[in-house]
Amino acid sequence: MRLLYFGWVRARIGISGETLDPPRNVIDVYSLIDWLKMRGGGYQEALEDPTLIRVAVNQEITTLDTQIHHSDEVALFPPMTGG
Amino acid sequence: MRLLYFGWVRARIGISGETLDPPRNVIDVYSLIDWLKMRGGGYQEALEDPTLIRVAVNQEITTLDTQIHHSDEVALFPPMTGG
Amino acid sequence: MIRVQEKDFDVGLELSRMTENHHEVGAQSVFVGLVRDMANTGKISSMTLEHYPGMTEKQLATIEEEAHKRWSLNDVLIIHRFGILQPGDRIVLVATTSPHRTASLESCQFIIDWLKTKAPFWKLESGPLGEVWVDSQEKDERAAIKWDTEDS
Amino acid sequence: MIRVQEKDFDVGLELSRMTENHHEVGAQSVFVGLVRDMANTGKISSMTLEHYPGMTEKQLATIEEEAHKRWSLNDVLIIHRFGILQPGDRIVLVATTSPHRTASLESCQFIIDWLKTKAPFWKLESGPLGEVWVDSQEKDERAAIKWDTEDS
């Protein structure tokens, strides 16, 4: 699964993206976040409060309960501040 | 009294302005319009329906019941179409 | 700043002047009005803008002052042309700058609504039926009045 | 048209292109967003705009399409910069053209409200306290949501 991080999520995790192979019980964005947090360190710090996290799956903004698959591009980031 | 005409008021009267000496009973814009209409021709045509006429006295937009004096600059015109 | 002039204006230059070396500005909202080639009576060949010299400047200065009173603005620019214009020609430029976008967006719209009904201009279109005076629009009146009621 | 780019843009040139030889246009509404020198934490020295390449273009194209659906517009232009910007630098240009002013004014405001909360950009300010991520504003959320409810 292709993962991308932006804004302070990227800054705290320390990398802008990575390709990971989450276990079977990672079925939606919530469980992905829980799994990433178990990796500790920057992940724990970045994803501590999931209510602050926004997500795009395959470049479409969606909600944390969205089902995800191994072939998806999943991006985690803080609320956007465009314009 | 300095009179100015704009838009189709000017076009119908045929001149852009003139200095006139209205009689004493011309006390406000209404009575000025009535007096001008008696001059016939273009005046009658231009000022026939006073509800279509807008007025500025000394370059301030005002209403037809405004009192006017010999030293005033009075402009008569259709509704404005700026912008 | 307000300007009433016969000649065209350079939009890019005017807008840059309002923001260059004014680093407190976060938002600039702009309206450009142009002569459309289509009128109610068909394709027009030209439009003549008549105005009331002296009073026009006074009215525009009043609008500018009112915008500054209602919103926290860095700057206001209103340029209005008069004379004979062709389709595609610019008629009016309104631009406002402010630290935040809401003040700038709202004040720009306020000014253009105001100009439609309170700036002493009259438009004469030359088209297939000859010369036709442009009627004031009831919807323009409503748009201008909206700002009065919001104020009270 | 939408563009996501690191380099600056020429506002005058971009606006002229939208109206030249488009004589059906009567109104052009424009918003320019700039880097302010004052942040919550004090005077900033620079602002870095991070974005999500690919998704940014998709989101901007969606906004453009939505504006065309909601209003009768001749053209829409959105240029959004990314990278390291200084106070006074332009960030974003939004411009819409239409025969009538209301469509152009409303759609321009709609697009800028939308960009604030739905364009995948993140702002990092360098100032007296070091580097600080700009928080999303609740008022920006409300401004964007307003357009959803007006739609329904």
Side-chain angles (χ1 to χ4, degrees), chain B residues 7 10 73 77-78 81 83, chain C residues 50-52 80 116 121-123:
Chain B
R10 173 192 57 70
E73 175 177 299
F77 43 77
T81 55
Chain C
E50 184 176 339
H51 78 121
Y52 184 169
H80 207 305
K116 287 275 166 192
F121 288 89
W122 298 273
K123 290 171 180 160

Side-chain angles (χ1 to χ4, degrees), chain D residues 119-132:
Chain D
F121 287 89
W122 298 272
K123 291 172 180 160
L124 180 66
E125 292 173 343
S126 296
L129 302 181
E131 300 200 318
V132 178

Side-chain angles (χ1 to χ4, degrees), chain B residues 18-83:
Chain B
E18 59 192 321
T19 301
L20 291 178
D21 194 16
R24 278 199 178 178
N25 62 340
V26 169
I27 52 163
D28 58 14
V29 182
Y30 274 123
S31 50
L32 173 69
I33 288 176
D34 283 341
W35 178 68
L36 288 170
K37 277 162 76 172
M38 289 192 307
R39 298 167 71 96
Y43 294 96
Q44 173 64 38
E45 197 199 339
L47 306 172
E48 193 170 7
D49 181 357
T51 65
L52 300 178
I53 304 299
R54 301 293 176 271
V55 64
V57 175
N58 300 322
Q59 306 193 353
E60 297 280 351
I61 293 172
T62 185
T63 48
L64 298 190
D65 57 3
T66 302
Q67 304 259 319
I68 50 175
H69 310 92
H70 270 76
S71 57
D72 288 335
E73 175 177 299
V74 179
L76 302 173
F77 43 77
M80 295 166 279
T81 55

Side-chain angles (χ1 to χ4, degrees), chain D residues 78-109:
Chain D
I78 307 171
I79 306 178
H80 206 305
R81 293 177 70 188
F82 60 89
I84 301 173
L85 303 177
Q86 315 300 324
D89 281 355
R90 284 175 276 266
I91 303 170
V92 64
L93 174 69
V94 174
T96 59
T97 51
S98 83
H100 302 287
R101 80 182 186 288
T102 306
S104 139
L105 285 163
E106 287 183 1
S107 59
C108 181
Q109 178 147 9

Side-chain angles (χ1 to χ4, degrees), chain A residues 35-46:
Chain A
W35 179 68
L36 288 170
K37 277 161 77 171
M38 291 191 307
R39 299 166 71 97
Y43 293 96
Q44 174 63 37
E45 198 199 338

